[in-house]
Amino acid sequence: MALTFEDVEDWTRKTGVLESLQTELSQRTTTLSGLQDQLHDIRRLDGWEGSAAHAARQSFDPVDDDIAKAAAAVGAVRTQVGETIADLTEVRGKINDAKQFASANGYTIQFNGTIVDLWDLDDKANASPEELRRHEEARGKLMEMVSEIVARGNEIESEASRVLWAANQGDIGTDGLKDADQAANAGAHFALEPDADPQEVEDWWNGLSPEQQQWMVTNRPDWVRNRDGIPTVARDNANMRWLDTERTRLQAELDRELAANPYPNAPGADQSSSRRIQELRSTIRDLDKIHEAAENPNTYLIGLDTSGDSTKAIVSVGNPDEADHVSVTIPGMGSQKDAGGTIEGMVREGTLMRSEAMTQLENAGRGNETVATVAWLGYDTPPGIAEAGADARATGAAPVLSNYLESVEVTSASGDPHLTLVGHSYGSVVSGMALNEGANAVVDDYVAYGSPGFYAMDEADLGMQQGHVFVMQAPDDPIQNLDKVDWLPGLGWRGGDPADGSFVQLSTEAGTTPDGVYRAGASGHSEYPRPFQVGGNDVLRTTGYNTAVVVAGLPELAVRK
């Protein structure tokens, strides 16, 4: 039976009761752990001899298992109670906001959620047409607010019911853990819904004790390492641990394959085994390059996935949780042919971009502001032109990217960093779709270069503010010839050439930028983020400089076309 507004509001007043329950459940976990310790002591008593000693060691195994299972159930319920408290506190704030908005606009919200108009006929007769319009608009806004409160209350109820029913039915497992405290951690992980959004993940994480958090990072990195909403440092630690384990596992498999098939390229070799050897070698090379890149100072491995046909990874230069300005760059076609090499290159470029952005902030008298640059190879990129002609990969990647972009704001210490999304080539298609998946609520600026289009010809099409979408297209970039392609269906413009749109068009030409530095221009399709050499040092091109000042929140310094 669905909750009403009255039910939800009444529930938000009961967080004190839930806090007491949470304390009791913590005590119950301690009791179970103590009982398990006592059983272990009984097994070790010197008074047992012969068959009695064997019975002492074995007879309590079923009891031990029951204790661990009970601890998992208690851990799950305790964690869910903590999440529920956080959720209800948030909803209580929304209820207060709705009531204040109602009062300020001549309405009141009754206990059952009904909105009552407090203006009488004289009030309306004396109001101007504009005041009447605003009054009626406020009613519509209030109806939305009440509806959202009721919907969120029912979501919270559903989340709690999932855990409570599982505990009631004995369906909460221990993940193979025997120790009561560790089994309670397994239960705590069960309380996190598989499809939880970044804010829910952060609430879950913050509800864990520091000891639980560290145990998961160390012993169960898969639980947290790729979850949007988990802090960057925890994800980095978990991913680096997992990378070492995965590298060892893959090397052992490769050794076994080579022992059975020592000459995989020889005529008559087992083709299935030969393909697997090639895949293993490629993945191991990726992991080695990613490991090396992530070991650079102030670099974080935020995501890593080798479960598919190609390696995915997310690496940041600078901690986005602590930065005032964060950029997230999405690469395009062919980026996973050498995923490790792509990450290496993007980390080098991101390091230069971060340094340039911080230099420009320093020049602008804002040297106390910090920057992080994220390389997001978190999707299956098109391997070639044929695949790039279809939108399937972008469609699948867009919600994943949008989720990560939301998590940047959720885990930020400030709660509202200046966030710039950067898309190259097919990556700009993914980026444009992600903005329309909801990322436009958190992204402040969008830079697209070498873009085949992103189904928009002005900012409104992306839900972005005017003047906050920037486009760069080199004069000889073959991307501009898409309208001439007729041999591959679907390869043409996605909604038109962005260089013809109303977006801010930035220069790709060589010249001296406002900071007095001469910079080379960009040529072709891939040079936009790549540096050029001056006296053996890497310097960003005009295109890299333009991106850096946008990332720094200084778009007025960008060189217009």
Side-chain angles (χ1 to χ4, degrees):
M1 182 175 174
L3 301 180
T4 64
F5 183 85
E6 180 181 10
D7 295 330
V8 174
E9 184 174 22
D10 185 54
W11 198 11
T12 64
R13 299 190 182 104
K14 297 178 178 177
T15 52
V17 176
L18 291 175
E19 287 169 356
S20 297
L21 175 59
Q22 189 178 32
T23 300
E24 292 176 8
L25 289 168
S26 296
Q27 294 170 349
R28 185 66 57 85
T29 302
T30 301
T31 299
L32 290 169
S33 179
L35 177 58
Q36 194 172 59
D37 289 342
Q38 292 174 23
L39 289 176
H40 291 172
D41 290 341
I42 291 172
R43 285 174 169 155
R44 292 192 296 267
L45 284 176
D46 292 337
W48 304 119
E49 297 290 348
S51 60
H54 178 74
R57 287 192 297 269
Q58 302 296 324
S59 61
F60 290 112
D61 283 353
V63 179
D64 224 12
D65 291 341
D66 288 343
I67 291 174
K69 194 169 179 62
V74 171
V77 175
R78 180 193 176 281
T79 302
Q80 184 58 53
V81 169
E83 290 183 63
T84 302
I85 292 170
D87 291 340
L88 291 177
T89 301
E90 178 188 353
V91 172
R92 185 68 200 171
K94 291 182 177 181
I95 291 173
N96 290 336
D97 290 344
K99 289 185 173 182
Q100 290 174 10
F101 182 82
S103 177
N105 288 277
Y107 293 96
T108 188
I109 303 173
Q110 291 188 322
F111 71 93
N112 60 0
T114 300
I115 297 167
V116 177
D117 191 344
L118 299 180
W119 280 18
D120 58 24
L121 292 177
D122 288 339
D123 292 325
K124 293 181 179 179
N126 294 325
S128 68
E130 178 60 21
E131 288 173 329
L132 286 171
R133 183 189 64 79
R134 288 200 300 267
H135 184 65
E136 285 304 312
E137 284 182 351
R139 176 194 289 274
K141 177 64 176 176
L142 272 172
M143 292 176 66
E144 290 179 8
M145 295 173 80
V146 169
S147 178
E148 289 175 2
I149 287 167
V150 174
R152 182 61 186 130
N154 279 280
E155 286 177 2
I156 297 168
E157 191 274 338
S158 177
E159 292 165 5
S161 293
R162 178 184 70 89
V163 175
L164 294 174
W165 275 112
N168 180 267
Q169 298 296 316
D171 293 337
I172 300 175
T174 64
D175 197 44
L177 298 166
K178 300 294 187 181
D179 178 82
D181 288 329
Q182 295 179 5
N185 292 338
H189 180 246
F190 180 90
L192 177 61
E193 286 199 301
D195 58 350
D197 64 35
Q199 185 60 65
E200 291 171 326
V201 173
E202 189 199 39
D203 290 342
W204 169 81
W205 179 257
N206 290 339
L208 302 175
S209 68
E211 293 77 17
Q212 284 180 304
Q213 293 173 352
Q214 186 56 53
W215 185 89
M216 289 183 186
V217 166
T218 303
N219 298 282
R220 290 293 191 274
D222 260 358
W223 290 357
V224 297
R225 63 188 185 84
N226 289 335
R227 292 303 297 263
D228 293 332
I230 299 294
T232 292
V233 170
R235 290 180 69 167
D236 174 65
N237 289 339
N239 271 304
M240 292 298 281
R241 289 176 181 275
W242 184 86
L243 188 156
D244 290 338
T245 301
E246 179 70 355
R247 178 38 169 102
T248 300
R249 184 188 71 80
L250 293 175
Q251 185 62 57
E253 183 180 350
L254 176 60
D255 291 343
R256 289 193 299 272
E257 289 286 352
L258 287 172
N261 185 13
Y263 304 105
N265 297 321
D270 183 323
Q271 293 302 301
S272 176
S273 173
S274 297
R275 283 193 298 272
R276 183 55 182 160
I277 288 171
Q278 182 178 357
E279 291 169 356
L280 289 166
R281 284 172 169 167
S282 176
T283 304
I284 289 171
R285 283 195 299 270
D286 285 341
L287 292 180
D288 288 343
K289 291 177 181 180
I290 291 169
H291 188 276
E292 184 175 357
E295 283 197 318
N296 287 326
N298 203 25
T299 303
Y300 301 86
L301 182 56
I302 300 174
L304 183 60
D305 182 6
T306 59
S307 63
D309 293 335
S310 301
T311 302
K312 304 185 190 78
I314 308 170
V315 181
S316 178
V317 182
N319 186 345
D321 296 354
E322 300 174 352
D324 300 295
H325 305 271
V326 180
S327 70
V328 179
T329 300
I330 319 303
M333 182 184 77
S335 296
Q336 288 174 303
K337 290 180 179 178
D338 176 10
T342 295
I343 289 296
E344 281 184 327
M346 293 184 75
V347 167
R348 284 195 298 271
E349 294 159 5
T351 300
L352 285 170
M353 186 75 64
R354 178 174 182 265
S355 177
E356 186 67 54
M358 293 179 72
T359 295
Q360 298 303 326
L361 285 165
E362 181 74 33
N363 293 344
R366 294 161 53 185
N368 61 320
E369 298 177 26
T370 55
V371 180
T373 56
V374 179
W376 195 87
L377 183 55
Y379 78 110
D380 287 319
T381 65
I385 289 290
E387 293 82 2
D391 284 346
R393 292 172 187 256
T395 301
V400 181
L401 173 58
S402 180
N403 206 63
Y404 174 72
L405 293 167
E406 180 186 345
S407 78
V408 171
E409 181 172 288
V410 165
T411 60
S412 170
S414 69
D416 188 23
H418 170 243
L419 179 57
T420 302
L421 178 60
V422 182
H424 175 223
S425 192
Y426 193 86
S428 70
V429 183
V430 175
S431 300
M433 289 185 175
L435 288 171
N436 281 317
E437 282 279 346
N440 51 24
V442 294
V443 172
D444 298 288
D445 292 298
Y446 173 41
V447 178
Y449 45 75
S451 174
F454 34 80
Y455 296 107
M457 291 301 282
D458 60 35
E459 290 87 347
D461 290 338
L462 297 170
M464 297 288 291
Q465 293 184 6
Q466 186 174 0
H468 287 264
V469 177
F470 305 85
V471 171
M472 288 182 281
Q473 188 181 101
D476 61 346
D477 188 336
I479 203 76
Q480 64 189 300
N481 297 319
L482 284 180
D483 58 343
K484 301 179 178 66
V485 176
D486 57 9
W487 52 271
L488 184 60
L491 191 60
W493 293 110
R494 267 86 170 185
D497 183 354
D500 294 334
S502 65
F503 313 113
V504 181
Q505 305 290 328
L506 300 181
S507 175
T508 64
E509 300 293 331
T512 301
T513 47
D515 57 351
V517 176
Y518 176 82
R519 301 177 188 275
S523 178
H525 188 60
S526 302
E527 281 189 350
Y528 299 94
R530 294 177 181 173
F532 69 105
Q533 290 273 310
V534 176
N537 297 316
D538 286 334
V539 178
L540 289 177
R541 301 172 189 273
T542 299
T543 45
Y545 163 86
N546 280 338
T547 306
V549 293
V550 172
V551 169
L554 299 166
E556 66 276 10
L557 300 180
V559 182
R560 265 56 172 179
K561 187 173 180 180

